[in-house]
Amino acid sequence: MSNANVAEADGTTKPGHHKRTYTGVGKKELKKEIAKLPKETLALWEKYGADESDDKESFQKSFIRHVTTTLARSIYNIDNFSAYQATAHSVRDRLIKRWNETQQTHTEVDSKRVYYLSLEFLLGRSLDNALLNLGLKDNYGGGIKELGFTMEDVLEQEVDAALGNGGLGRLAACYMDSLATMDYPAWGYGLRYTYGIFQQRLKDGYQIEFPDYWLNFDNPWELPRLDVVVDVQFCGSVNRYTDEEGHERYAWEGGDTLQAIAYDVPIPGYGTKNCINIRLWSSKPKRQFDLTRFNEGQYEQAVYEQMQAENITAVLYPNDNHMVGKELRLKQQYFWVAASLFDIVRRFKKSEKPWSNFPLQVIMDKIHTHPTLAIVELQRILVDLEGIGWDEAWAIVTQTFAFTNHTILPEAMERWPVPMIQYLLPRHMQIIFDINLFFLQKVEKAIPNNRDLLAKLSIIEESTPQFVRMAHLAIVGSHRVNGVAALHSELIKQTIFKDFIQFYGESKFENKTNGITPRRWLHQANPKLSELITETLGSKNWLKNLDLLKGLKSHVNNKDFRKRWVAAKLSNKVRLADYIQKATGVTVNSNALFDVQVKRIHEYKRQFMNILGVIHRYNTLKKMTSEERACVVHRVVIFGGKAAPGYYIAKLVIKLINSVAEVVNNDNSIEDSLKVVFIPDYNVSVAEIIIPASDISQHISTAGTEASGTSNMKFVLNGGLILGTVDGANIEICEEIGDDNIFMFGNLAHQVDDLRHAHRYRSVPVDPSLQAVINDIESGQFGDSRIFAPLINTLTHGKDYYLISDDFQSYLDTQKLVDESYKDQEGWTTKSIMCSAHMGKFSSDRAIQEYADQIWEIKPVPVMTKKHI
């Protein structure tokens, strides 16, 4: 708030100074604050706060200013990295203007906001995205060229923000892009990881993890808010007392306190002034340095608190193969939601509206089970700190939260030991017990005497020790639950959440199929194809209405259009071949079929089946004559992805891929008809090179295990075909593009349980083709077979849980269909064009529109032109 005007000795008044608050002034206070400022001051702000022009000359002036003042360099010592920094700061200047206008507009309109809670925001590089979304790339490109640099070299200097790992983080980034583009009032909340998940390197074919030092250099895309500090409490005890009105209350006291420091990341929309925000929290100790201990020579103890605190936001997903790691993960999750809830509640309280209006102003979407403690934290705030009755508070909580489930795998449903929560969060554990009791009482009243159902629905798993089922808590504490693909949404109702259907009915559960942003995944990643599409359709309107891609169908037989389509694909393949050479040292033929599987390494995603198929192909090629091989489609099989540090089997899959690659790539007898490549340290920027170059991509999860997938959408949008199982979003993609333009194989989801039962209790022989490949591995053809014994055991002693044997022959047969189709290049080109033309459904704009209308109930708030005050 502002201080009142201060009287001077001469009788004049001196205007009071605005006191910085964490969330700025509220709607009611804004006009009062402006009215207190002298007209002369307002005039100066108007005069000198005008927007900078976006023309080439203005950029060059801004560039040189940042080189000399921000970077303290000159014309004599500026390199490509410095040119990147100066360009990024120039763009950031314009972003911050839009960010301020957006936040001021949202404050004045005072509309309902959505808060997107995700542990991951896999943003990728920001400069190119900002230039394209702000419409600055042409002017900036020309300006940087006259200054002696190329935009391509400048863009290459940026390091990917290490704020995510896989599809969850990239989906969050796509959704933030769409929220900004569609003018929705939104904030994202996450963590600012010091070292990301890890940097992946290969040594002797094994994955080796190194810290990702992405913050070693000044990050122009984040705004440190060092004055926005939230205390976060752990441990301690709970004191029960009676308040002045005779009500029983609880106070959480003592324990340890850490501090959450805010860093803001502006997210610009495309073709709009809307620029929303992701707030990331960094952990710091309450007391950073113990000088007394240092002076006593206890140097390690002097910084112990600092190290313990900073561990919380050191890495994404700490290894939880041990109890210390599990505890760190739980602390990480609570630290994140506690700081975020404090910020959200504080912003609401500035509106001075009653608490009953909270769900009308705030909607929080929990992405996966990671932020589920936010339910408990909000209930604690309302009951313990705001003095609201339990039932009224719980009604507010359940109307505030929505839950987006991203998996069907039971092992991915988080469970925390009750003793651990009791130790770290004693008050929260009490609240969880109460939530569970009151919920089960409602179940008992609705469905009496069904103890089995009570046990299944209970948030507390009765084991030794007891566990808290976070997915159960997320369902009970949310007013809507959704899956992320049509099949996934049906399967969760039939399997992991089926018992909740018995109590709630189906109305609480719905589907919201995932989507991707075409601005990043076609316009930015594939500029030549984007240019061709824009020229063909006559405008860039398709970037905000992806359904317009259907207009490409009328050009599918146009010879010039087809020629340019093929040329764009070849250009992308040449670019990828160059990158493969630099990253791995392997030379590949750009005219070969590029067969790609890039995603997180996991057994259910079945990279193992892919490399087993490669071995089968390799040995088939070796048995051919040179004349026979001349008729075979040449393939480059490309892998990429990270395995979790503690996931031994997944890391062995990477080792096998690299061992096979070593043999295949050095076997001259097959005459370059097959190459195998594992691209290390797969991230968004690498994906932007790989995806536009793909001819066929593999999405081959065991049926019923992949929630949706979004990489499949990116490949198809760029004119790549799919080889996939009937799983996740593959099904809906097939429905949109047609059976003729996709290669599907394998058993169906409803068959999986019976097949697993047969493997477990009967003697099911291994597929003969698969057995031959296993024999090749065990013979030592690809190195010491003992290394791969645990992998082979998953197929034999492990009862082939992911059904590789059951799907293997179908997989090989479908691969033959791919080969035959690729030989018909004209037919393949038609398939490629038709794939892209039918991808309108899979825009993240469509997904966000559905969330906004049907779950979040929020409206667009276009940014108004602001005076510069």
Side-chain angles (χ1 to χ4, degrees), residues 20 41 44 118 156 250 274 306 413 454 459 578 671 687 690 724 842:
R20 173 77 168 93
T41 302
L44 287 172
S118 177
E156 280 299 311
Y250 294 86
N274 197 33
Q306 180 175 346
M413 299 295 174
L454 291 175
I459 295 168
D578 290 342
E671 302 169 306
I690 294 174
F842 301 101

Side-chain angles (χ1 to χ4, degrees), residues 96-349:
I96 292 174
K97 285 272 189 180
R98 295 185 181 214
W99 187 92
N100 280 327
E101 291 179 358
T102 301
Q103 300 312 313
Q104 187 176 338
T105 296
H106 292 171
T107 297
E108 290 181 5
V109 176
D110 198 21
S111 61
K112 186 177 185 179
R113 287 185 175 99
V114 61
Y115 295 96
Y116 195 90
L117 306 179
S118 177
L119 266 184
E120 299 185 40
F121 288 95
L122 201 56
L123 300 173
R125 292 171 175 169
S126 295
L127 177 56
D128 199 19
N129 183 68
L131 288 171
L132 290 168
N133 277 11
L134 271 60
L136 301 176
K137 193 164 186 180
D138 289 342
N139 285 342
Y140 273 45
I144 200 82
K145 185 176 182 180
E146 291 179 4
L147 289 165
F149 300 92
T150 68
M151 185 57 76
E152 291 74 16
D153 289 340
V154 168
L155 294 175
E156 280 299 311
Q157 303 306 307
E158 185 174 355
V159 176
D160 278 37
L163 297 171
N165 176 36
L168 200 68
R170 190 50 239 172
L171 181 72
C174 284
Y175 280 2
M176 293 303 291
D177 175 87
S178 286
L179 283 163
T181 298
M182 301 173 76
D183 291 331
Y184 284 113
W187 278 59
Y189 279 99
L191 292 177
R192 182 179 182 263
Y193 305 105
T194 307
Y195 306 112
I197 185 166
F198 60 84
Q199 184 185 90
Q200 182 192 57
R201 301 180 192 173
L202 300 176
K203 184 177 181 181
D204 299 326
Y206 289 98
Q207 170 182 291
I208 306 296
E209 300 91 22
F210 285 83
D212 189 342
Y213 296 105
W214 72 286
L215 290 173
N216 267 12
F217 302 97
D218 171 54
N219 178 13
W221 306 109
E222 66 178 15
L223 307 173
R225 302 294 195 186
L226 302 183
D227 56 337
V228 181
V229 181
V230 179
D231 287 347
V232 180
Q233 184 180 358
F234 289 99
C235 303
S237 59
V238 179
N239 177 38
R240 185 172 64 180
Y241 68 97
T242 303
D243 66 14
E244 296 176 353
E245 298 178 359
H247 299 128
E248 188 176 83
R249 299 290 184 194
Y250 294 86
W252 182 17
E253 301 172 342
D256 303 321
T257 301
L258 306 179
Q259 290 189 327
I261 313 296
Y263 290 79
D264 288 345
V265 181
I267 304 296
Y270 175 82
T272 175
K273 285 195 172 185
N274 197 33
C275 183
I276 59 176
N277 191 57
I278 297 175
R279 177 156 285 179
L280 305 174
W281 300 105
S282 182
S283 56
K284 300 292 180 185
K286 188 82 170 178
R287 180 178 64 174
Q288 295 198 17
F289 186 74
D290 191 330
L291 185 60
T292 302
R293 287 188 172 183
F294 187 85
N295 288 334
E296 292 172 352
Q298 300 179 50
Y299 304 126
E300 291 184 4
Q301 290 84 350
V303 294
Y304 177 76
E305 286 187 30
Q306 180 175 346
M307 291 188 297
Q308 288 293 102
E310 292 178 353
N311 281 344
I312 289 180
T313 54
V315 297
L316 168 64
Y317 303 140
N319 188 354
D320 62 352
N321 285 357
H322 41 73
M323 289 306 294
V324 176
K326 291 182 189 298
E327 184 176 306
L328 182 58
R329 275 209 187 189
L330 181 59
K331 291 179 74 172
Q332 187 180 73
Q333 291 184 11
Y334 177 68
F335 173 85
W336 161 48
V337 301
S340 302
L341 259 293
F342 186 90
D343 208 41
I344 293 166
V345 167
R346 179 172 54 199
R347 190 172 296 114
F348 168 76
K349 290 176 74 172

Side-chain angles (χ1 to χ4, degrees), residues 476-548:
V476 173
S478 301
H479 71 285
R480 285 286 189 277
V481 180
N482 70 274
V484 290
L487 176 64
H488 170 242
S489 297
E490 285 303 311
L491 287 176
I492 62 174
K493 290 190 291 186
Q494 296 169 13
T495 57
I496 54 175
F497 299 154
K498 65 180 180 181
D499 298 307
F500 285 96
I501 301 295
Q502 189 174 347
F503 175 67
Y504 285 115
E506 294 200 2
S507 60
K508 184 169 182 169
F509 299 82
E510 54 188 275
N511 175 59
K512 294 288 173 281
T513 298
N514 284 342
I516 58 172
T517 169
R519 274 84 60 180
R520 166 78 69 165
W521 292 110
L522 182 46
H523 188 46
Q524 179 177 331
N526 199 344
K528 290 188 177 180
L529 188 59
S530 175
E531 181 181 347
L532 174 59
I533 291 171
T534 297
E535 182 181 323
T536 303
L537 298 180
S539 75
K540 291 183 178 179
N541 292 342
W542 62 273
L543 287 169
K544 295 184 76 169
N545 181 2
L546 202 59
D547 284 328
L548 294 177

